[in-house]
């Protein structure tokens, strides 16, 4: 397992609540979101990551979900073209930033669209979700780029699964070669040991392993306990305000 050294984050802007959402959980409280983001950053630092913080940008209310703007690997970076038109401008800041860290940078081109939240890295293999945000053209472009660096990939079509926005809203890869999945995705991953989240705990499926810790959304104690019993070190993080805007733990950072 390779260790992550860095992460890119971006705090929510003052108009965070103007972003896109499909869930009906009420308006997020921006000051609470800022406090949760701050705590999230502290947890990343406690996992050993050095943070690069992009400035909040009110032109893009969803820009705190920085994961959607790039796919970062140990060999290259790919800047995406987000599927939602309102989010396309978010890639400018990541485009400017990545040359500091990556020599090999690729861009998804029109008519391709890719949201990083649809891309689940599983060691040398990538699951590429085809969703309302990531189209087939974008998925093919990304698969080709990844393949040129020796990675394999496969597509997972989630367009018929209404309960999730992105592939990673319903699946997470753990270095133990386990996949945490929601029920509706459980039969899509042959050859992997699958940990199904219980009904009602679907939001917790978007967990993130960073170095030796698994970050899990707070409020799902039986899921957290199950991971602990399986030998994982679990850190719970309050995510309520981001959940209201369809965002999970992974979306708030780019780790590399
Ligand atoms: C959006 O709809 O694009 C944002 N409100 C949420 C994006 C969440 N990102 C992610 O799951 N990777």
């Amino acid at each position: 397992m390779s260790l992550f050294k860095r992460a890119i984050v971006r705090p929510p802007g003052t108009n965070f609540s103007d972003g896109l959402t499909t869930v009906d959980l009420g308006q997020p409280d921006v000051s609470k979101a800022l406090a949760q983001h701050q705590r999230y950053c502290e947890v990343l630092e406690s996992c050993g990551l050095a943070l690069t913080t992009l400035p909040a940008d009110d032109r893009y209310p969803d820009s705190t979900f920085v994961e959607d703007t790039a796919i970062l690997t140990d060999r290259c970076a790919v800047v995406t073209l987000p599927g939602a038109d309102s989010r396309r401008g978010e890639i400018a800041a990541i485009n400017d930033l990545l040359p500091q860290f990556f020599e090999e940078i690729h861009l998804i081109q029109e008519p391709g669209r890719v949201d990083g939240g649809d891309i689940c890295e599983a060691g040398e293999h990538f699951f590429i979700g085809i969703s309302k945000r990531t189209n087939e053209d974008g998925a093919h472009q990304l698969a080709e780029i990844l393949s040129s660096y020796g990675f394999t990939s496969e597509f997972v079509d989630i367009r018929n699964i209404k309960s999730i926005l992105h592939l990673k809203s319903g699946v997470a890869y753990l270095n133990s070669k386990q996949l945490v999945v929601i029920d509706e995705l459980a039969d899509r991953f042959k050859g992997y040991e699958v940990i199904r989240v219980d009904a009602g705990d679907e939001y917790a499926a978007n967990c993130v392993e960073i170095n030796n810790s698994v970050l899990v959304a707070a409020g799902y104690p039986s899921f957290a306990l199950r991971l602990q019993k399986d030998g994982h070190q679990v850190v719970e993080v309050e995510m309520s305000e981001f959940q209201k805007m369809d965002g999970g733990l992974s979306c708030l950072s780019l780790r590399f």
Side-chain angles (χ1 to χ4, degrees):
M1 174 194 107
S2 60
L3 294 181
F4 291 122
K5 295 193 178 72
R6 298 178 173 277
I8 298 167
V9 291
R10 185 171 220 177
T14 54
N15 60 352
F16 172 57
S17 61
D18 293 340
L20 304 169
T21 190
T22 60
V23 293
D24 193 13
L25 296 172
Q27 288 265 109
D29 175 324
V30 177
S31 55
K32 205 168 162 192
L34 275 168
Q36 290 181 349
H37 192 269
Q38 172 74 34
R39 171 70 189 138
Y40 178 90
C41 292
E42 287 163 10
V43 169
L44 296 188
E45 286 174 330
S46 74
C47 293
L49 303 189
L51 301 190
T52 299
T53 306
L54 289 167
D57 188 341
D58 281 356
R59 290 173 301 167
Y60 304 109
D62 281 311
S63 55
T64 190
F65 301 116
V66 71
E67 177 184 60
D68 292 319
T69 59
I71 292 101
L72 306 182
T73 79
D74 57 3
R75 291 155 225 183
C76 65
V78 182
V79 178
T80 66
L81 254 192
D85 287 338
S86 64
R87 301 199 58 191
R88 291 195 56 181
E90 292 177 27
I91 59 174
I94 206 79
N95 245 326
D96 290 345
L97 180 67
L98 289 182
Q100 276 182 42
F101 303 113
F102 290 86
E103 283 178 13
E104 311 258 341
I105 301 175
H106 300 262
L107 309 177
I108 298 296
Q109 313 278 354
E110 286 281 17
R113 294 297 185 106
V114 172
D115 271 16
D118 279 316
I119 316 307
C120 179
E121 171 262 311
E124 297 283 301
H125 189 67
F126 284 76
F127 297 104
I128 300 177
I130 298 182
S131 69
K132 287 194 190 73
R133 300 288 179 87
T134 298
N135 64 16
E136 290 181 30
D137 190 287
H140 281 285
Q141 288 182 40
L142 178 62
E144 232 171 81
I145 295 165
L146 292 171
S147 151
S148 70
Y149 289 92
F151 295 112
T152 54
S153 63
E154 69 188 82
F155 299 159
V156 184
D157 192 336
I158 59 160
R159 284 173 292 192
N160 63 346
I161 304 182
K162 303 286 173 245
S163 60
I164 52 175
L165 175 66
H166 288 125
L167 177 63
K168 277 194 291 192
S169 319
V171 61
Y173 176 75
L174 303 179
N175 293 318
S176 47
K177 298 196 169 35
Q178 294 167 306
L179 286 173
V180 176
V181 292
I182 58 168
D183 256 358
E184 289 151 295
L185 284 172
D187 59 355
R188 303 283 192 98
F189 302 99
K190 305 290 178 216
Y192 285 86
E193 184 190 332
V194 154
I195 302 174
R196 284 182 190 227
V197 295
D198 293 335
D201 283 358
E202 288 83 358
Y203 180 73
N206 179 261
C207 52
V208 185
E209 183 157 21
I210 300 179
N211 301 340
N212 294 316
S213 302
V214 182
L215 277 51
V216 175
Y220 303 93
S222 61
F223 175 66
L225 192 63
R226 193 158 142 209
L227 289 184
Q228 276 163 350
K229 282 189 178 152
D230 237 14
H232 298 284
Q233 185 177 313
V234 171
V235 184
E236 292 177 81
V237 186
E238 288 292 344
M239 288 292 298
S240 63
E241 303 317 291
F242 299 101
Q243 184 177 12
K244 291 173 184 171
M245 300 308 291
D246 258 338
L249 268 169
S250 70
C251 334
L252 290 182
S253 60
L254 279 162
R255 305 149 299 275
F256 60 107

